[in-house]
Amino acid sequence: MKIPSSIWTLLIGIVLTLASLWYGQNHGLLPAAATDEAVLVDGLFNTMMIVSTGIFLLVEGILIYSAFKYRRRAGDNEDGPPVEGNVPLEILWTAIPAIIVIGISVYSFDVYNEMGGFDPHSIHEAPMNQESMKMPGHGSAIAATLSDTPPGTEPNLNQEKSDEAMQDPATAEVRNADQIPQLRNAPGVGIVAPTIGGTPDKAGKPAQLQVNVTGLQYAWIFTYPETGITTGEMHVPIGREVEISMTANDVIHAFWVPEFRLKQDAIPGRQSEIRFTPQKAGDYVLICAELCGPYHGAMRAPVVVEPQEAFDKWVQEQLVASKETLNQAIAVNPTDLSPNEFLAPYTKNMGIKPEILHQVHH
């Protein structure tokens, strides 16, 4: 009994569909999803894997079948029949990819919007935050320059930066971080980079935790404005929306934690933001995803996602450790210098500003 070709086509289509659906959900190519946003990204990635697997199996299957079915037989030296084209077939294989690309584009746009990334007006409407990107240990010379500038006159930021570099070469390289909040108010200057903000249901609401991140060759520095903690590793609690405000001191870096499925560039002279809600406890690695120099591959930092109780304990430990370090330095101070003056040579290169030391000490 000869099976009709239509039945064979149906059976092959069912097998290809089932194989594509299975592999698209079980490819194992992604690390564990650790944030709410990762679930959205994984759904999009799995969909693309299902579609691409089906297309791959179909195309390769037809090629292999054709290679065996229409191979040249022994003793066959004649030319094949001339083929001038098949208009319906050409329309079909043009329309199907077009529909697939449009569908994935719409799905991608929806995921990006659900993550809070689609806000074309955020670059113009971002709120002023004087302390959001201040690196510890820097003065407000640029703020004073901007505030003293007559209306309608552009501030000479290059000259100001050059003067500071000559006065204090050790910290000049990180002072561009101070320019960000002040430059937001400068006439005609828009320096807020496009962001991945809050999800539509949280639009316009402040995040539950703010962390300021500065990238420099070749390290990440994290500052918690609410407590004044400055550290080389990032801790965030489970279930709380975190807003990362970031910049770079020298070249472009990129904030990327694979398990978070989020990536955002840290750009010198600009503030970029990204929001996420961690949901899976664990130790992760923050990787710089932009080639930033010869030691780019070593620019990593630990990221710890932990329960709220563990996060609160870590905060207290950091505050206590900072205070103990300060008291020890004061105990061995053989001069009449104030604590800030005595620690200045040690903290200047670390970028710790005197206000934080004063707050911890008292």
Side-chain angles (χ1 to χ4, degrees), residues 105-117:
S105 299
V106 173
Y107 188 9
S108 302
F109 178 85
D110 182 66
V111 169
Y112 190 58
N113 186 46
E114 287 296 319
M115 292 170 55

Side-chain angles (χ1 to χ4, degrees), residues 248-308:
N249 288 335
D250 31 49
V251 298
I252 296 177
H253 301 281
F255 182 99
W256 180 47
V257 180
E259 292 80 4
F260 293 177
R261 307 291 195 274
L262 296 172
K263 175 184 175 294
Q264 185 69 288
D265 287 347
I267 306 171
R270 290 180 178 266
Q271 175 179 336
S272 53
E273 298 173 355
I274 189 171
R275 287 194 184 193
F276 60 89
T277 303
Q279 291 296 349
K280 185 174 182 179
D283 296 332
Y284 307 104
V285 179
L286 168 59
I287 302 171
C288 178
E290 294 286 351
L291 181 60
C292 58
Y295 299 101
H296 159 73
M299 187 172 172
R300 296 170 174 245
V303 177
V304 180
V305 178
E306 55 196 359
Q308 183 65 49

